[in-house]
């Protein structure tokens, strides 16, 4: 009883609100426009987020703490020779992969000379500045002798060229570790790709070679010069490619990921304009009728204007509060489109059910009472789910900002639908009551006057006058709309046909089966190439790298941050055991090998160990670069101790993928907790992967919980709690299907897809809640009758918003970007699966599942039979029913 009282009270409040807005339409139409202009004007000076790590890496992660510890122990300026590892931060750099179209050997004489010519061209790049031209020599990382440190593969190729020039045959390149003429052992697993080896790891051929050039960025001027050098580097590589068409080169810089991420917004512009044109056209068509008076094409356009004003207002607020734009914001207009269009079409559908002989204010009040309660509840659901996503509980900044922007836009969309669109409905209502043309706003002449006009004139001014129609015809004027006619006369009877139901149930079982198959194959996508535009440096470089350089994992730093007994045999065995299975590039293993060559026991006393380490080992030319990997400290009596050291590990892999690297990270992390030696492992890519799975699922998980709680508590607000039970089951079915088919469509669970799944919860409630509410609250008639009635009342608005939404999504599929590809596939699946449930699954399942309906039990006398016949002739939801019955 309390629910019904509360329900009627809310309807009364919305009715009075509608009457008040209809009394002041000019104010409520102009206020949203002025607010949007004032707030949206600031968006003309919007800022773009430059840091991809800030957006996509988990904000709170162990990897960032480990990076700070590594930076404190081994700063970049004492790590000059470790270029292949990217150290603890990539900094500024330029990379290029050189390969051949015909899988030629890149180590033959021709290609070796070609690569060295490319290297010479790169080192001659100049960056002009006022009064000075910077070259690679001015901004490179310097060696102890003040010369530029270059990639070790360059030294290998130079030695190979000299060996050929002097006809030396004893020079051999081994893989993945080779030795230079100065005795240094260098790792080339990431410099040589597609390697074929002879016995004893001697390289026979290599299909690809990768060169890396690291730059200094110690101050703002240096960083600016380095950024321009990176741009010139890409141009130089492209020019070199044009003059050497038989090889293929893939340049990449530290700025490539950021630029390609932002490129999505630029390449999407014309497709978004096409999408807007299609949506406007479809919205106008959906609101049009043959009756030129009752047609509402302007309302279709004004509905989109309402959504645009809300989106502009939200963008202005985000910009004024210091927010920065990023390419993930491209999804916000489509979220607004799905929610806003359904609300406006539902209001228009309610308007067409009101009595035409009522005043516009009364009709508007009836519209608000009929449609605003469900629209308010679904808006509250959007605000709660996206509000949780915008909270500090969300660990990925891109997801948090997206949810925050969506929350603000949805809130203002709700206000603008109440005010701006409601006022627009009032204005068009006065046009209709005055029998003016819905487009040209001129008075429509009487039928007798039209008979004297040409056929085309009569076609444009076709209208039905109330004085020329009977009451029954006037009650069904909305049936002249094509979609209303289709649902009432054909679809409702077909979908509830006894012979159709088994096929729908069978189709649903097939749907569940395929969804389960995809659900069991869900994979997490932390690959950063999934969020950039296609046909870009990032995609081309990443593809080439995975093709040619997937034999070994990225170099992982193994950092020991305590003083341990390196001279102790048991400690040495522990360290070798911890790094078992890895290719070790470390001072420690080289030191042990050095001792073995000298026939010295590895179990030395501490003093002998430190003396030999400092005086013999590190002073040898082939081991001098290991000084960067050891930190000494002096104690009393000139005693020296190793307080920290590092090693570099590379794992042999079949394929370099994120899952394998993530498993490797977790394995080493668990080992660091249980081992006797205190150590950490780090690679810059760990910042993106660390806690990525939990950070990624947190917004969806929290939103689902919040949605369930809201559904539970709203059960006390709605007239029947069974409505919430059906809504919950429908949302679960839709989300399960979307996740399954999303996986089968090769969409991974990444930041974009998770945001779409949060939206999918709300989109399903938006479309299914009114249908279920009408069905559950229906009394006296059969289930089939109430299913038909629910489709007739709400099906048109669902169908109209679905058509507009789909035509708006279609251009998104053509955008050359992985981000928009993911966005299109997820949103399309959400819309399609929800439509399938609204128009097929629910209409069939509700005909034989609770709640039960009581059939009318009337005495069989002539009067009652006549009354029932009249009820069947008229729509049971029509306000004319009571009048019709009383006249019988």
């Amino acid at each position: 009883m309390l629910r019904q009282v509360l329900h009627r009270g809310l309807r009364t409040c919305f009715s009075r609100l509608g009457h008040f807005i209809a009394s002041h339409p000019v104010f409520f139409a102009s206020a949203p426009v002025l607010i949007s202009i004032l707030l949206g004007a600031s968006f003309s000076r919007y800022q773009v987020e430059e840091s991809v790590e800030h957006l996509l890496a988990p904000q709170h992660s162990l990897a960032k703490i480990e990076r700070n510890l590594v930076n404190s122990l081994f700063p970049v300026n004492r790590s000059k020779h470790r270029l292949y590892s990217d150290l603890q931060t990539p900094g500024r750099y330029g990379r290029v992969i050189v390969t051949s179209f015909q899988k030629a050997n890149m180590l033959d004489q021709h290609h070796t000379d070609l690569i060295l010519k490319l290297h010479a061209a790169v080192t001659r790049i100049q960056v002009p500045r006022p009064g000075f031209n910077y070259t690679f020599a001015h901004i490179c990382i310097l060696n102890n002798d003040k010369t530029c440190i270059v990639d070790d593969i360059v030294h290998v190729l130079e030695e190979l060229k000299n060996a050929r020039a002097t006809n030396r045959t004893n020079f051999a390149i081994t893989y993945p570790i080779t030795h230079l003429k100065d005795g240094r052992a260098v790792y080339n697993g990431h410099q040589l790709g597609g390697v074929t080896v002879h016995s004893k790891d001697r390289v026979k051929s290599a299909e690809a070679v990768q060169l890396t050039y690291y730059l200094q960025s110690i101050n703002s001027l240096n960083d600016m010069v380095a950024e321009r050098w990176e741009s010139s580097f890409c141009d130089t590589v492209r020019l070199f490619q044009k003059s050497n068409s038989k090889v293929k080169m893939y340049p990449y810089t530290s700025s490539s990921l950021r630029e390609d991420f932002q490129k999505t917004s630029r390449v999407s512009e014309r497709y978004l304009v096409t999408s807007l044109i299609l949506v406007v056209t479809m919205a106008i068509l959906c609101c049009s009728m043959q009756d030129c008076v009752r047609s509402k094409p302007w309302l279709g356009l004004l509905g989109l204007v309402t959504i645009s004003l809300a989106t502009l207002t939200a963008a202005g607020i985000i910009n004024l509060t210091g927010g920065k734009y990023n390419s993930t914001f491209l999804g916000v207009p489509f979220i607004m489109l799905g929610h806003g269009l359904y609300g406006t079409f539902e209001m228009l559908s309610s308007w067409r059910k009101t009595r035409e002989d009522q005043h516009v204010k009364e009709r508007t009040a009836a519209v608000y009472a009929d449609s605003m309660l469900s629209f308010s509840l679904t808006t509250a659901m959007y605000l709660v789910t996206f509000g949780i996503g915008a909270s500090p509980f969300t660990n990925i900044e891109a997801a948090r900002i997206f949810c925050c922007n969506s929350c603000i836009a949805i809130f203002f969309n709700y206000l603008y639908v109440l005010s701006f669109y409601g006022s627009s409905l009032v204005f068009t209502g006065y046009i209709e009551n005055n029998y003016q043309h819905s487009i040209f706003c001129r008075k429509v002449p009487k039928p007798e006057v039209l008979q004297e006009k040409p056929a085309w004139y009569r076609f444009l001014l076709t209208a039905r006058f109330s004085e020329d129609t009977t009451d029954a015809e006037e009650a069904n004027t909305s049936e002249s709309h094509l979609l209303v006619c289709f649902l009432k006369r054909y679809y409702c009877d077909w979908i509830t046909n006894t012979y159709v139901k088994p096929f729908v149930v069978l189709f649903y079982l097939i749907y569940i089966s395929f969804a389960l198959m995809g659900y069991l194959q869900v994979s997490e996508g932390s690959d950063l190439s999934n969020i950039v535009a296609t046909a870009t440096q990032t995609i081309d470089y990443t593809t080439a790298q995975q093709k040619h350089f997937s034999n070994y994992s990225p170099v992982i730093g193994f950092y020991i941050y305590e003083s341990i007994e390196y001279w102790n045999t048991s400690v040495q065995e522990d360290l070798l055991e911890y790094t078992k299975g890895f290719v070790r590039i470390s001072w420690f293993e080289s030191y042990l090998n050095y001792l073995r060559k000298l026939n010295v026991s590895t179990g030395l006393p501490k003093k002998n160990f430190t003396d030999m380490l400092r005086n013999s080992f590190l002073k040898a030319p082939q081991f001098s670069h290991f000084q960067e990997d050891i930190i000494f400290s002096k104690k009393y009596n000139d005693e020296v101790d190793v307080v920290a050291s590092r090693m570099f590990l590379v794992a042999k892999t079949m394929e370099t993928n994120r899952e394998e690297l993530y498993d490797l990270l977790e394995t080493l992390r668990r080992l660091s907790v249980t081992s006797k030696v205190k150590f950490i492992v780090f690679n810059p890519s760990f910042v993106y992967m660390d806690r990525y799975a939990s950070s990624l699922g947190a917004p969806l998980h929290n939103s689902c919980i919040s949605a369930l709680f809201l559904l539970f508590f709203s059960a006390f607000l709605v007239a029947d709690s069974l409505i919430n039970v059906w809504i919950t089951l429908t949302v679960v079915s839709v989300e399960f299907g979307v996740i399954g088919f999303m996986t089968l469509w090769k969409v991974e669970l990444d930041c974009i897809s998770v945001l779409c799944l949060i939206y999918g919860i709300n989109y399903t409630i938006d479309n299914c809640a009114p249908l279920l509410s009408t069905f559950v609250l229906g009394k006296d008639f059969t289930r089939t009758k109430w299913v038909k009635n629910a489709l007739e009342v709400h099906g048109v608005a669902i169908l109209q918003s679905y058509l507009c939404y789909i035509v708006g999504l279609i251009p998104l599929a053509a955008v050359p970007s992985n981000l928009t590809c993911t966005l299109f596939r997820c949103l399309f699946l959400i819309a399609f699966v929800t439509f399938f449930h609204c128009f097929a699954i629910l209409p069939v399942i509700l005909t034989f599942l609770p709640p039960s309906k009581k059939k009318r039990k009337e005495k069989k006398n002539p009067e009652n039979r006549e009354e029932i016949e009249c009820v069947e002739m008229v729509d049971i939801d029509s306000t004319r029913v009571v009048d019709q019955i009383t006249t019988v």
Side-chain angles (χ1 to χ4, degrees):
M1 182 63 182
L2 179 61
R3 292 173 181 164
Q4 283 78 5
V5 172
L6 184 60
H7 193 264
R8 286 195 296 269
L10 291 173
R11 287 176 60 91
T12 302
C13 291
F14 281 116
S15 176
R16 292 178 178 175
L17 176 62
H19 194 279
F20 180 75
I21 290 175
S23 302
H24 309 84
V26 176
F27 171 78
F28 286 101
S30 57
V33 177
L34 293 176
I35 293 173
S36 300
I37 292 175
L38 291 175
L39 293 177
S42 67
F43 193 67
S44 60
R45 299 186 300 274
Y46 70 92
Q47 294 179 321
V48 178
E49 180 58 61
E50 298 286 342
S51 174
V52 178
E53 178 184 319
H54 175 70
L55 286 175
L56 300 176
Q59 295 297 302
H60 309 288
S61 67
L62 182 59
K64 290 186 176 180
I65 299 175
E66 292 169 341
R67 181 172 63 184
N68 293 334
L69 178 59
V70 170
N71 284 333
S72 64
L73 292 175
F74 298 95
V76 176
N77 59 2
R78 62 170 285 129
S79 306
K80 299 175 182 178
H81 291 86
R82 296 309 189 200
L83 303 183
Y84 55 76
S85 68
D86 281 357
L87 302 171
Q88 47 267 28
T89 176
R92 292 284 183 183
Y93 61 87
R95 284 198 179 111
V96 58
I97 295 176
V98 184
T99 184
S100 172
F101 289 104
Q102 301 176 350
K103 296 185 177 180
N105 181 15
M106 304 307 295
L107 297 179
D108 61 23
Q109 184 172 355
H110 170 70
H111 289 99
T112 301
D113 293 342
L114 190 67
I115 294 172
L116 292 176
K117 287 181 181 178
L118 173 63
H119 170 68
V122 169
T123 56
R124 290 195 300 269
I125 294 175
Q126 292 186 349
V127 178
R129 291 291 299 162
F132 194 79
N133 291 334
Y134 289 86
T135 64
F136 177 71
H138 297 107
I139 57 176
C140 67
I141 297 178
L142 298 177
N143 206 338
N144 294 329
D145 58 359
K146 303 302 180 180
T147 60
C148 288
I149 296 179
V150 296
D151 226 346
D152 288 326
I153 191 62
V154 175
H155 299 304
V156 172
L157 295 178
E158 288 175 345
E159 291 188 12
L160 180 61
K161 181 179 180 180
N162 293 334
R164 288 186 177 130
T166 57
N167 294 322
R168 285 193 295 117
T169 59
N170 60 344
F171 180 78
I173 302 174
T174 55
Y175 182 81
I177 294 179
T178 191
H179 293 80
L180 300 178
K181 63 180 180 181
D182 60 1
R184 286 197 300 122
V186 296
Y187 171 73
N188 56 23
H190 292 159
Q191 282 73 40
L192 297 179
V195 175
T196 304
V197 296
H198 289 298
S199 60
K200 296 184 180 180
D201 296 332
R202 295 182 63 180
V203 176
K204 179 181 179 181
S205 65
E207 296 178 1
V209 173
Q210 178 172 236
L211 304 178
T212 304
Y213 300 88
Y214 284 87
L215 311 173
Q216 297 182 33
S217 55
I218 55 179
N219 53 52
S220 58
L221 174 62
N222 192 258
D223 186 72
M224 180 185 63
V225 173
E227 184 177 7
R228 294 187 179 181
W229 188 93
E230 290 178 349
S231 178
S232 300
F233 169 78
C234 294
D235 296 336
T236 301
V237 172
R238 294 191 191 99
L239 289 175
F240 200 85
Q241 165 81 72
K242 291 180 180 179
S243 59
N244 299 273
S245 58
K246 292 185 179 181
V247 294
K248 180 63 178 173
M249 300 181 184
Y250 303 94
Y252 186 79
T253 67
S254 64
S255 305
S256 295
L257 179 62
R258 170 178 56 83
E259 293 172 354
D260 295 342
F261 176 62
Q262 297 170 357
K263 187 178 178 181
T264 297
S265 300
R266 297 192 297 272
V267 300
S268 301
E269 291 176 355
R270 61 190 183 96
Y271 297 96
L272 292 177
V273 172
T274 303
S275 176
L276 179 61
I277 294 173
L278 291 175
V279 173
V280 168
T281 304
M282 182 57 69
I284 292 175
L285 291 176
C286 287
C287 296
S288 300
M289 300 168 58
Q290 186 177 2
D291 192 319
C292 69
V293 172
R294 295 170 180 84
S295 180
K296 298 288 187 292
W298 285 115
L299 285 183
L301 177 61
L302 291 171
L304 294 175
V305 172
T306 304
I307 298 171
S308 301
L309 291 176
T311 306
L312 183 62
T313 303
I317 292 176
I318 291 291
N319 191 54
L320 288 174
T321 53
K324 296 182 179 180
Y325 174 84
N326 65 82
S327 293
T328 61
F329 284 8
L330 291 174
V332 175
F334 293 95
I335 288 179
M336 298 295 298
L337 190 67
H339 179 58
L341 277 182
Y342 179 74
T344 56
F345 283 132
E346 188 71 23
M347 291 180 68
L348 180 57
S349 179
S350 298
W351 174 270
R352 285 175 174 152
K353 290 185 294 183
T354 58
R355 293 173 52 177
E356 294 183 358
D357 58 352
Q358 290 180 314
H359 193 273
V360 171
K361 295 180 181 179
E362 295 176 356
R363 296 182 72 179
T364 306
V367 168
Y368 275 68
D370 184 51
S371 60
M372 278 298 109
L373 180 58
S374 62
F375 186 65
S376 300
L377 290 176
T378 54
T379 300
M381 184 67 72
Y382 272 93
L383 294 177
V384 169
T385 52
F386 280 108
I388 293 294
S391 68
F393 296 109
T394 300
N395 202 16
I396 297 181
E397 187 67 11
R400 193 190 67 81
I401 297 175
F402 182 92
C403 291
C404 181
N405 195 357
S406 300
C407 256
I408 298 173
I410 289 165
F411 175 72
F412 278 96
N413 178 72
Y414 176 73
L415 296 181
Y416 290 175
V417 167
L418 286 176
S419 55
F420 180 81
Y421 190 79
S423 301
S424 303
L425 193 64
V426 172
F427 291 131
T428 57
Y430 281 115
I431 293 174
E432 178 183 332
N433 278 14
N434 295 332
Y435 286 94
Q436 292 175 293
H437 197 281
S438 59
I439 299 177
F440 308 113
C441 301
R442 61 164 295 177
K443 191 77 172 179
V444 176
K446 295 287 186 176
E448 54 270 18
V449 178
L450 282 177
Q451 295 301 324
E452 303 174 359
K453 301 294 183 180
W456 64 269
Y457 190 87
R458 293 198 303 272
F459 175 78
L460 290 177
L461 297 178
T462 300
R464 181 181 298 174
F465 285 78
S466 57
E467 57 266 26
D468 299 330
T469 60
T470 63
D471 290 340
E473 290 175 337
E474 185 179 347
N476 294 322
T477 52
S478 63
E479 288 192 24
S480 59
H481 193 282
L482 179 62
L483 297 180
V484 177
C485 179
F486 167 73
L487 287 176
K488 284 193 173 184
R489 297 184 184 180
Y490 303 104
Y491 186 78
C492 291
D493 291 331
W494 178 80
I495 196 64
T496 55
N497 188 288
T498 305
Y499 299 103
V500 174
K501 293 179 183 179
F503 292 98
V504 175
V505 173
L506 178 62
F507 195 70
Y508 183 67
L509 294 177
I510 296 173
Y511 159 82
I512 291 294
S513 301
F514 277 93
L516 179 62
M517 182 173 63
Y519 189 84
L520 297 176
Q521 304 175 37
V522 172
S523 60
E524 297 164 0
S526 59
D527 191 350
L528 297 179
S529 62
N530 291 337
I531 51 94
V532 300
T534 56
T536 55
Q537 291 180 0
T538 301
I539 297 297
D540 295 340
Y541 174 82
T542 303
T543 303
Q545 189 181 52
Q546 291 177 349
K547 179 181 178 181
H548 299 289
F549 299 93
S550 59
N551 289 337
Y552 293 94
S553 71
V555 178
I556 300 171
F558 186 93
Y559 299 88
I560 301 172
Y561 58 93
E562 68 169 346
S563 178
I564 61 175
E565 298 178 351
Y566 293 94
W567 58 89
N568 191 309
T569 305
S570 61
V571 174
Q572 294 172 358
E573 292 175 351
D574 288 340
L575 290 178
L576 294 176
E577 180 64 26
Y578 297 153
T579 58
K580 184 179 179 181
F582 292 91
V583 176
R584 292 184 288 265
I585 314 163
S586 68
W587 70 272
F588 182 69
E589 185 164 357
S590 298
Y591 180 74
L592 295 181
N593 293 332
Y594 176 73
L595 293 180
R596 294 188 188 103
K597 290 181 180 180
L598 296 177
N599 293 321
V600 178
S601 172
T602 57
L604 295 173
K606 178 180 179 181
K607 189 175 186 308
N608 293 352
F609 166 80
T610 54
D611 288 344
M612 183 173 290
L613 187 67
R614 296 181 62 196
N615 301 326
S616 303
F617 176 72
L618 293 180
K619 289 187 177 180
Q622 64 269 34
F623 304 130
S624 59
H625 59 284
F626 283 129
Q627 294 178 6
E628 302 169 1
D629 300 334
I630 304 171
I631 300 178
F632 292 100
S633 69
K634 288 187 178 181
K635 296 184 178 180
Y636 297 105
N637 301 323
D638 293 331
E639 185 179 352
V640 178
D641 196 8
V642 178
V643 296
S645 68
R646 66 180 175 183
M647 311 177 192
F648 293 100
L649 312 176
V650 183
K652 177 72 175 178
T653 58
M654 296 301 295
E655 181 182 359
T656 303
N657 54 52
R658 292 278 168 169
E659 290 79 9
E660 191 172 1
L661 193 58
Y662 181 78
D663 293 339
L664 182 62
L665 169 62
E666 290 302 310
T667 302
L668 291 172
R669 283 262 178 83
R670 288 192 296 267
L671 182 62
S672 67
V673 174
T674 58
S675 68
K676 300 176 183 178
V677 179
K678 294 181 180 180
F679 71 88
I680 58 174
V681 290
F682 184 75
N683 178 277
S685 61
F686 291 174
V687 173
Y688 291 95
M689 292 187 300
D690 194 16
R691 294 183 60 190
Y692 187 81
S694 59
S695 301
L696 189 65
L700 180 61
H701 179 262
N702 295 334
S703 297
C704 289
I705 293 177
S706 62
L708 290 175
F709 269 104
L710 187 61
L711 287 172
F712 174 76
F713 287 112
S714 64
F716 301 99
L717 299 178
V718 298
D720 196 323
S721 58
L722 193 59
I723 298 174
N724 288 7
V725 175
W726 272 111
I727 290 175
T728 304
L729 294 175
T730 305
V731 169
V732 170
S733 178
V734 170
E735 289 288 283
F736 179 74
V738 170
I739 294 175
F741 285 98
M742 179 182 77
T743 305
L744 295 178
W745 207 352
K746 298 181 180 179
V747 176
E748 296 178 328
L749 199 63
D750 58 9
C751 178
I752 303 300
S753 57
V754 165
L755 293 173
C756 291
L757 289 174
I758 296 174
Y759 169 63
I761 299 172
N762 301 282
Y763 185 83
T764 305
I765 296 174
D766 245 347
N767 290 270
C768 297
L771 281 174
L772 293 168
S773 178
T774 301
F775 173 80
V776 171
L777 296 179
K779 304 296 182 183
D780 296 333
F781 292 96
T782 63
R783 291 191 184 97
T784 302
K785 180 63 180 176
W786 278 108
V787 166
K788 292 180 179 179
N789 183 56
L791 283 176
E792 292 171 1
V793 173
H794 302 289
V796 175
I798 296 174
L799 192 56
Q800 287 172 325
S801 63
Y802 175 78
L803 292 174
C804 294
Y805 195 67
I806 288 298
V807 299
L809 282 179
I810 289 175
L812 202 63
V815 179
S817 170
N818 290 334
L819 188 151
T820 53
C821 179
T822 300
L823 194 65
F824 165 76
R825 292 182 178 183
C826 293
L827 294 180
F828 178 82
L829 285 174
I830 290 169
F832 179 77
V833 174
T834 304
F835 180 81
F836 171 62
H837 278 72
C838 289
F839 282 89
I841 302 304
L842 288 178
V844 170
I845 292 180
L846 291 176
T847 57
F848 51 81
L849 289 180
S852 62
K853 304 294 180 184
K854 297 180 180 179
K855 297 183 179 180
R856 293 180 66 95
K857 295 182 180 180
E858 301 286 348
K859 295 181 181 180
K860 295 183 179 180
N861 56 58
E863 293 184 355
N864 285 335
R865 282 197 299 272
E866 185 179 4
E867 180 177 330
I868 292 173
E869 288 174 0
C870 292
V871 172
E872 291 293 337
M873 289 172 60
V874 193
D875 187 358
I876 57 177
D877 272 9
S878 176
T879 54
R880 288 279 190 178
V881 172
V882 178
D883 295 340
Q884 187 72 17
I885 293 175
T886 54
T887 58
V888 173

